[in-house]
Amino acid sequence: MIKGFMGKTHALLSVMLLSTLLLVPVEFLQQMLGLLKKDVLFFILGMVVLIGGALLPDLDNAQSCAGSTLGFMGSICTIFMQSTATIIYQLCHLRRDSQSPYFPHRYFWHSLLAGLGIFALFFFGMPNNDLTIVQAVGQMGIWAYLETNTAMLFFIWLMFMAVLVGSDMVFSKIIKFFKLPKLLSYILPVLALVYMFFLDGTHLRVLGILIGLGYIYHLIEDCFADSGCPL
């Protein structure tokens, strides 16, 4: 047991857990594996999104890697997550539980309920078709598209955060071995997001599932730390 995991540990463990999961002979997992193996760019984006998703739960901590990367947007998420976690604790705690948390890190947003909720939203709520976002909006119009794909707006927002956080984590390790301009750490997330808008619904659904899996993996990993999540 160790006191706690750092961001890079969560990133590496999440990639390992995904690699293990993809060996399971279940249809949708094998479909994911096939899509990830088929396209190098999609594979890279998928790993970045997985790592980003694995770092998002720690936004309920003001000192997190994800929060420092996201800046003002991360601060808003931290305030929201800490506030809702405290309210939920007040409504759901039992008489013998500890007093209301002064520092609500690893409460509701580190529960399996939150992780499974994000996973289920993208697994069941994302379209599984051959249309890209650009094509679908062109056919239906942006408002009609969002009305019939309510999970998409949440997906784009979480995708943006996951790409920023994941690419920053990966790029910060790469520049230790290769002399690359820091500007690339800002260009790469933008290119990834542009690329996302030209992926079909099946590929987008896989990216959403990877965000959810990364989130759940973080919770599983924290079960093995002294100051983490009790099982």
Side-chain angles (χ1 to χ4, degrees):
M1 299 284 280
I2 62 173
K3 187 175 181 182
F5 289 127
M6 299 178 66
K8 61 184 178 182
T9 314
H10 276 301
L12 291 171
L13 285 173
S14 296
V15 172
M16 182 198 74
L17 288 172
L18 177 68
S19 301
T20 304
L21 182 67
L22 291 178
L23 297 175
V24 179
V26 176
E27 184 178 353
F28 94 90
L29 292 175
Q30 293 307 306
Q31 181 191 36
M32 280 179 55
L33 178 61
L35 292 174
L36 289 169
K37 289 169 61 177
K38 192 174 181 180
D39 188 333
V40 174
L41 284 178
F42 184 69
F43 173 80
I44 294 172
L45 180 59
M47 292 305 100
V48 167
V49 166
L50 175 76
I51 292 170
L55 299 178
L56 292 182
D58 274 346
L59 281 173
D60 65 1
N61 176 8
Q63 308 299 322
S64 67
C65 295
S68 62
T69 300
L70 294 173
F72 179 68
M73 184 166 56
S75 299
I76 293 175
C77 291
T78 299
I79 293 170
F80 170 78
M81 292 170 79
Q82 289 188 346
S83 301
T84 51
T86 302
I87 293 170
I88 292 170
Y89 180 85
Q90 289 289 351
L91 294 173
C92 299
H93 79 282
L94 302 177
R95 183 184 300 178
R96 294 181 183 271
D97 289 341
S98 59
Q99 296 299 310
S100 178
Y102 173 74
F103 183 60
H105 177 41
R106 298 195 179 104
Y107 278 76
F108 173 76
W109 294 102
H110 268 68
S111 71
L112 196 58
L113 182 62
L116 288 175
I118 293 173
F119 177 87
L121 176 66
F122 296 139
F123 185 84
F124 295 107
M126 294 286 289
N128 190 16
N129 54 38
D130 296 330
L131 287 177
T132 68
I133 295 178
V134 173
Q135 290 171 337
V137 170
Q139 290 180 11
M140 304 170 60
I142 186 167
W143 297 117
Y145 176 74
L146 292 177
E147 284 177 7
T148 55
N149 296 277
T150 51
M152 186 60 71
L153 194 59
F154 188 56
F155 166 75
I156 293 172
W157 173 57
L158 267 190
M159 179 75 178
F160 177 68
M161 293 199 298
V163 167
L164 279 177
V165 173
S167 62
D168 183 74
M169 171 64 68
V170 173
F171 192 79
S172 65
K173 306 307 173 188
I174 292 176
I175 60 175
K176 290 183 178 180
F177 302 97
F178 303 98
K179 292 183 178 180
L180 298 173
K182 180 64 177 175
L183 183 63
L184 279 177
S185 64
Y186 303 105
I187 295 175
L188 290 177
V190 174
L191 293 177
L193 288 172
V194 171
Y195 173 63
M196 178 195 77
F197 279 90
F198 293 92
L199 291 173
D200 61 39
T202 302
H203 285 77
L204 293 175
R205 181 170 175 264
V206 168
L207 293 178
I209 290 172
L210 288 174
I211 293 175
L213 285 176
Y215 199 105
I216 292 171
Y217 288 158
H218 181 110
L219 311 180
I220 295 171
E221 292 150 15
D222 270 358
C223 289
F224 295 92
D226 286 338
S227 57
C229 302
L231 184 61

